[in-house]
Amino acid sequence: MLIRTPTPHDPLPSEITPRSAYLNRRQALAGLGVAAASPLALAQGAAPGGGKLPKLPGARSAVAGAFATDKPTSYADATSYNNFYEFGTDKSDPAANAHTLKTRPWTVSVEGECAKPGRFDLDALLKLAPMEERLYRLRCVEGWSMVIPWTGYSLAELIKQAQPTSKAKYVEFTSLADKAQMPGVRSGVLDWPYIEGLRIDEAMHPLAMLVFGMYGEVLPNQNGAPLRLAVPWKYGFKSAKSIVKIRFVEKEPLSSWTKAAQQEYGFYSNVNPNVSHPRWSQASERRIGEDGLFAKKRPTLLFNGYEPQVGQLYAGMDLKKNY
Ligand SMILES: Nc1nc2c(c(=O)[nH]1)N[C@H]1C(S)=C(S)[C@@H](COP(=O)(O)O)O[C@H]1N2
Ligand SMILES: [Mo]
């Protein structure tokens, strides 16, 4: 008998929760003052922050494609409907459990095929490059999406400092895996630590972002504090949270999701409406916040709509084989 590992789309308790309960919880959150900012604030370009965490402003990014024209997801939704399996598999688990994550002191170890390896303290990373604000679409492999204003800078800024050698063909990212702080790590749902990877040219693309904040504030723990990736043209699971190690390697890294279900989660995981997941179509998506009774699903776009910027990275590649 095949023992099937739970995957991101096995129906999770949150997905079985009646919609009315979910909406009630959102209304309760709104009552606590964690709802989105007023339409006026949005029109003025101010990020709809929760107002509870330290500010982390950024200048509007000049990187091509960095500003989606979509309406930002509310702060309440972006911080209460999360995937962060180190804190549990239910969508509401990270918000309920991630307060135990200690985000300071925090160091990121930069290792492997590079001339300047080292340990970077969070404060050094915060000063490494000017902070920018970008508005990215995030498309989860499960078929939902959000639009989030991130604060951070291009991952390329850190990579350039490390000076990768000619052998550095890929970059591997490792998230923290500490049973004492992360209750989900006691479960066998994934092989911890959470590992992800990018090809070096993908990692160097200006849209690949090292993120420290969202909605003009530092990252909430459930969203991957104190630093995470945002790789907007790939399925959300490529954007590792709470990163502690960045390693330059010669061979394609084996990511946690590929390890869990190789035929379902390949290395590339570019958003692609034409390549179905073995168990469901990827042709459309539900935008979180547009979940009313009559809300239509949105068509999913190739490379999540970032094809003009990143399409060249995959010229000549068979995207069905390299899923
Ligand atoms: N370490 C770690 N990173 C992770 C995950 C995770 O479980 N653990 N989930 C991924 C998935 S499936 C998605 S969709 C995004 C969700 O990010 P968000 O909760 O900030 O929207 O984080 C990704 N990064
Ligand atoms: Mo996801």
Side-chain angles (χ1 to χ4, degrees):
M1 192 183 96
L2 182 73
I3 297 166
R4 204 159 57 91
T5 323
T7 71
H9 204 259
D10 285 342
L12 299 170
S14 62
E15 291 170 326
I16 299 158
T17 303
R19 180 174 305 276
S20 59
Y22 174 59
L23 291 176
N24 283 340
R25 183 164 52 81
R26 282 177 42 202
Q27 278 153 10
L29 284 169
L32 290 171
V34 288
S38 69
L40 180 65
L42 283 178
Q44 289 166 340
K52 295 172 298 175
L53 296 173
K55 296 272 173 267
L56 187 66
R60 188 185 164 91
S61 178
V63 169
F67 262 86
T69 52
D70 311 43
K71 183 173 164 281
T73 299
S74 76
Y75 185 81
D77 281 346
T79 57
S80 63
Y81 189 89
N82 302 101
N83 273 337
F84 198 170
Y85 278 18
E86 286 86 336
F87 293 101
T89 54
D90 197 296
K91 290 284 176 290
S92 59
D93 283 343
N97 299 331
H99 59 274
T100 52
L101 176 66
K102 201 168 161 260
T103 57
R104 261 174 204 275
W106 191 278
T107 47
V108 177
S109 172
V110 178
E111 310 177 356
E113 292 293 345
C114 61
K116 296 244 168 87
R119 289 171 68 78
F120 287 77
D121 187 71
L122 178 62
D123 292 306
L125 288 170
L126 284 165
K127 280 182 277 189
L128 190 107
M131 284 293 164
E132 296 180 5
E133 188 171 70
R134 306 181 185 183
L135 187 64
Y136 280 180
R137 287 182 292 273
L138 177 136
R139 169 59 156 83
C140 179
V141 74
E142 296 165 347
W144 51 267
S145 61
M146 295 198 196
V147 182
I148 301 185
W150 301 117
T151 312
Y153 48 75
S154 294
L155 173 63
E157 302 280 355
L158 175 58
I159 294 179
K160 280 186 238 156
Q161 298 263 328
Q163 298 175 19
T165 69
S166 58
K167 281 187 174 170
K169 304 279 192 256
Y170 298 90
V171 193
E172 183 187 83
F173 304 90
T174 305
S175 298
L176 181 71
D178 181 359
K179 285 187 181 119
Q181 302 179 57
M182 302 168 133
V185 173
R186 288 173 221 148
S187 92
V189 65
L190 277 178
D191 190 5
W192 312 107
Y194 193 97
I195 289 178
E196 260 310 334
L198 296 171
R199 219 169 53 191
I200 187 86
D201 58 336
E202 297 178 318
M204 288 294 290
H205 192 283
L207 283 175
M209 190 178 185
L210 199 56
V211 168
F212 301 86
M214 59 192 253
Y215 299 82
E217 299 180 352
V218 300
L219 281 172
N221 289 356
Q222 61 266 38
N223 293 86
L227 80 162
R228 65 171 294 169
L229 290 180
V231 189
W233 68 95
K234 292 180 180 280
Y235 290 117
F237 66 87
K238 297 297 284 183
S239 294
K241 294 175 165 180
S242 305
I243 292 170
V244 290
K245 196 184 344 179
I246 297 178
R247 189 173 182 81
F248 298 97
V249 293
E250 205 171 351
K251 295 213 179 86
E252 191 179 278
L254 180 58
S255 77
S256 294
W257 280 114
T258 303
K259 213 170 175 179
Q262 207 244 302
Q263 64 298 342
E264 305 194 0
Y265 309 106
F267 176 76
Y268 284 93
S269 292
N270 291 314
V271 174
N272 191 338
N274 310 313
V275 178
S276 296
H277 183 279
R279 292 184 282 134
W280 63 87
S281 161
Q282 292 289 22
S284 66
E285 65 203 57
R286 183 171 65 89
R287 180 65 52 84
I288 301 297
E290 295 179 344
D291 46 8
L293 207 47
F294 302 106
K296 276 212 188 86
K297 280 189 143 199
R298 290 170 172 256
T300 287
L301 304 173
L302 182 60
F303 300 115
N304 202 20
Y306 298 91
E307 186 182 10
Q309 290 81 30
V310 303
Q312 264 307 111
L313 293 173
Y314 311 101
M317 273 178 69
D318 181 341
L319 298 175
K320 284 208 163 70
K321 260 194 202 139
N322 297 285
Y323 57 94

